[in-house]
Amino acid sequence: MAERGGRGSGGHGSLDKSITLPPDEIFRNLENAKRFAIDIGGSLTKLAYYSTVQHKVARVRSFDHSGKDIENEPLYEISVQEEITARLHFIKFENTYIETCLDFIKDHLVNTETKVIKATGGGAYKFKDLIEKKLGLKVDKEDVMTCLIKGCNFVLRNIPHEVFAYQKDSDTEFRFQTNHPNIFPYLLVNIGSGVSIVKVETEDKFEWIGGSSIGGGTFWGLGALLTKTKKFDELLQLASKGQHTNVDMLVKDVYGGACQTLGLSGNLIASSFGKSTTADKEFSKEDMAKSLLHMISNDIGQLACLYAKLHNLDKIYFGGFFIRGHPVTMRTITYSINFFSKGEVQALFLRHEGYLGAIGAFLKGAEQDNPNQYSWGENYAGSSGLMSTSPDVYPMQRTRSGTFDMFEMDRLERPLVNLPLLKDPSTYIPDTVDLTDDAMARKYWLTCFEEALDGVAKRAAASQPDSVDAPERAEKFRQKYWNKLQTLRQQPFAYGTLTVRSLLDTREHCLNEFNFPDPYSKVKQKENGIALKCFQSVIESLDSLGWEERQFALVKGLLAGNVFDWGAKAVSDVLESEPQFGFEEAKSKLQERPWLEDSYSQWLERLKEGPPHKCALIFADNSGIDIILGVFPFVRELLSRGTEVILACNSGPALNDVTYSESLIVAERIAVMDPVIQSALKEEKLLLVQTGSSSPCLDLSRLDKGLAVLVRERKTDLVIIEGMGRAIHTNYYAALKCESLKLAVIKNSWLADRLGGKIFSVIFKYEVPCK
Amino acid sequence: MEPLRNGGGAEDKAWRRGADAGPPRRWSGGGGGGGGAAGADSSAAAGPSGRQRRDSVRKNRPLFPWFGLDIGGTLVKLVYFEPKDITAEEEKEEVENLKSIRKYLTSNVAYGSTGIRDVHLELKDLTLCGRKGNLHFIRFPTHDMPAFIQMGSEKHFSSLHTTLCATGGGAYKFEQDFRTMGDLQLRKLDELDCLIKGVLYIDSVGFNGHSECYYFENPTDAERCQKLPFTLENPYPLLLVNIGSGVSILAVYSKENYKRVTGTSLGGGTFFGLCCLLTGCSTFEEALEMASHGDSTKVDKLVRDIYGGDYERFGLPGWAVASSFGNMMSKEKRESVSKEDLAKATLITITNNIGSIARMCALNENINRVVFVGNFLRINTISMRLLAYALDYWSKGQLKALFLEHEGYFGAVGALLELLDSA
């Protein structure tokens, strides 16, 4: 029912003022902070604020080439500019630090026009005066449950892999769920000192449908009486070591050995504490704590199931301090829900459960900014990730910043939606391999990213030769990403399902964090320039071929272009040492047909026999040869067939992937040389759009809304996904409602080996949805 | 369910307290000569040519004695039918050990140190299978079961050729002991079948002219609350909540059609077990007595403790318990509560929780009459009134809590009825 109550009492006296806070780690970007919110529980405080972050971004701008010698000029101008983006910061710390933190905030708060701070949580009233005095802000209290639910809706909508099921006895303890497009209705069971059961039907409509007084406070209070152990966490530790069968009366204690023949499960608890009905026997603390834990968890699970049944709901999210990251309680609650619902209902937990109240309070105060209008993304660089709070289970060294758990979200400039062509958005999983599940693969990829790290840091530093502090920032980047990789080795579930995509994205976030927005901008510029020079000769040679030969050459060109990928270590080695490594050489590296995955004949057949596609959506991959000599000739052929083309490129930079703004310049330059492209652009038969993403991979459930609208308008009936990141690491198994073509060259020998091929093996996967 | 041992008594003291005075492991030494007679009788009855006992002989009637046994997790419930219409001829032919059993059971109200006959529950002038008699209700702790079997063996119970009908988990657990120690074959019966059969039967015959079933009128008003008889005519459907060591909840649609809806391990055993740990008490009566003098609001965190009054957003009254034992998170408060307060809080916690689960089941099953039975409710007016109150309050008057006078004995009655039906 309420937040945890007991431990905070008397907290004022024991405030720890001795700590000094490292400002670049905690309470970041306070200078521009506004709209504060605070959620004070019984032992933890969660602070939220909205801030703007100044970022360096690489911008490209086309030169005016008229009358100039374009041979020796760079293709376009690159400038580094400051961009301001919005970010949500959430910090969680123990109540004992509250005064120190408030002082720190006061000292660093410069530009704020904020007058109020939204406050929620059971402890809000206790610290009201302190907050008002320290910050000079008026405390505006918000209802606990309203905040909790607002926060819950927000994370369910915005954070991929927010939700997980807990399975203790499986290899993957944390089984993350795909975000369902429709998050309602659901049941939120908040286990604080008591239990509140709330049914949430829409964004604004929720109802308290019941509760129970047997909750976390019962475990804590009764546990303290029984075991003389004062702290909640210690009680949980005791419980995890105990044997409840010494204290509980089991079915087999009542029925004896006959359980099996009767089909009864003898280990079920017939009566909790049924064996302690005696004054002359001693029971161990551990056993009593365990019995209490089972009793309470089972009871809550049973009630939750009864309420779920009555209201016909199958999604139950559990939260509150009783649950909060404790494997012990997540396990017993999961067991209970399975038992009482006979497996029909799944107990679900949230990665950012501890922040819900703070997020909700923040949203209440930020309604003017309309946060719900935007899409938000978790910033992996600035977020601590899900930590297990049980030191026994995960013996991680708790650093200073471990005391301060952080969660940051970036506001995305445009809303993200599902690709309308996904066959089943509710079951779509972008990633091909779940590294949380696959220990072998996890080990390989973590090592792979570790090994590549020095090179990435070096390249980042080299990309800003004019910046004095570039080497220092590069080193900071290196350290930060290294630490993330180490965390993920210990706790692969820290940021949701661990995937190659999440590893790549985290690296991009870390690079951005230290102002390396686009380390490959110059490389891309150069490669685009070189490739453009070859465009006409490539087109000429293609045009000289017969139809069938040309189709094959186009596909080969697309694949060869895809060899140029700075993300793959094997290729970046070659590119570093042989800058003239050409298009033809790339073609010669390709595997001969039959390819590793080869449905080229079906594709050719389709082109030959079927009517032209109405509209093709192409997700492009790399800059330079790939986009210019691979993709554009292919686009040109489609256009000639009468197929409209939507060419989708990343909104922001990632490795040497072509960005939307680069693609505009490239298209413009090609248009000058090629009348087909020129007229298609003019007649809007070739449309360049942005994906909304800055990832080297592709999540078809989070795409720019404009793209989705266009896809629908143009009645897109073919989707082409190119490149290892987008077609193999992600979307390899993605099922679409229309025809699709997934092609890539495998530039990683381990992955090639795993798929049963060799390095530079070709994937050509043409799929037609079954009717 | 509630053991009756006195404080400090180790297990072996229970039935055997009389050991100093006479042979060990017997109830009270009553019927001293029974042993030998039973021995003789036993050999006579063993052979096919032996004299037929005629005391209760009629084709469709089982031999006396008529017992029904319900062996629960904590307590054994025994019902015994004492025929009052024994003819002189029957009396003459009644074998010696049968007579001694009858005399022993009906002339005592306590057996050993832990066996008790609930005299106030006795059903008088009952007609069963054409015989008139009284039905006696006896209980003793399950851990004294071996001593009970031993006694049966010493009294040559097996020679009576009666069928011992037993239900409850213990019917299975002790089956082997009955066979080896007592030379007795148990007829094991389904617990829930017996329970329902017993409830329906006792309700139909009434309680010596009074109503078996009752309810509390004005349960939400402490002043005006009173116990009133309830007529369970057309009883279906009803939700039957049996609170023993644990709790079983059944939805009953007709005599034959019922299902177990759910159960909870938070039952009478939990109340008593936690009380023993928290207060050092050793009997159920003691625990209840303590509870009656305690104040649970010192132990529990109420809604008003958190919100200063009602939590209107959710329509929660200030007096509602927000967190059972929630105040005990604080050290100071832990030090300021009494054992009585803790006992009361334990009782309130367990009772409210049962009420809550029962209410949810009633809603899910669409049933509005909830009958609470089981020995947890014995001499436990606090819980009964609280259940009546909670059901009424949280259902806004839609649900009615009903209670039965013979609380925990229905399983045993059902077992006895099975014996009669099968003959």
Side-chain angles (χ1 to χ4, degrees), chain B residues 225-393:
Chain B
C225 175
Q226 58 173 327
K227 179 177 160 180
L228 289 176
F230 186 88
T231 321
L232 253 188
E233 267 174 316
N234 190 16
Y236 312 109
L238 65 83
L239 198 74
L240 187 59
V241 182
N242 185 31
I243 318 174
S245 315
V247 182
S248 277
I249 300 181
L250 318 176
V252 189
Y253 300 101
S254 75
K255 210 165 179 165
E256 273 82 35
N257 182 14
Y258 74 88
K259 66 173 180 187
R260 183 177 189 276
V261 181
T262 189
T264 167
S265 70
L266 285 82
T270 315
F271 161 66
F272 183 39
L274 280 174
C275 271
C276 290
L277 294 172
L278 293 172
T279 71
C281 71
S282 51
T283 67
F284 180 71
E285 288 80 356
E286 204 184 326
L288 277 183
E289 176 63 19
M290 278 204 214
S292 70
H293 295 111
D295 177 3
S296 61
T297 65
K298 290 185 178 158
V299 180
D300 295 338
K301 202 183 269 277
L302 307 187
V303 168
R304 65 164 179 256
D305 296 332
I306 300 172
Y307 297 101
D310 298 352
Y311 186 32
E312 276 154 24
R313 182 90 179 72
F314 288 167
L316 286 173
W319 52 258
V321 183
S323 173
S324 296
F325 288 85
N327 281 341
M328 297 297 93
M329 290 188 279
S330 134
K331 187 169 176 283
E332 299 82 60
K333 288 184 177 162
R334 277 201 297 277
E335 282 159 0
S336 70
V337 294
S338 68
K339 288 181 172 184
E340 286 76 13
D341 297 337
L342 292 172
K344 179 69 172 284
T346 310
L347 187 63
I348 299 292
T349 302
I350 299 299
T351 306
N352 268 333
N353 190 59
I354 294 168
S356 201
I357 293 173
R359 184 171 61 88
M360 288 308 296
C361 291
L363 288 175
N364 270 324
E365 301 302 322
N366 205 15
I367 295 176
N368 54 25
R369 273 181 304 193
V370 185
V371 180
F372 292 95
V373 297
N375 268 321
F376 172 65
L377 300 176
R378 195 176 65 79
I379 59 167
N380 187 358
T381 323
I382 298 175
S383 289
M384 285 192 282
R385 284 175 63 159
L386 184 56
L387 285 169
Y389 178 94
L391 238 59
D392 184 86
Y393 181 87

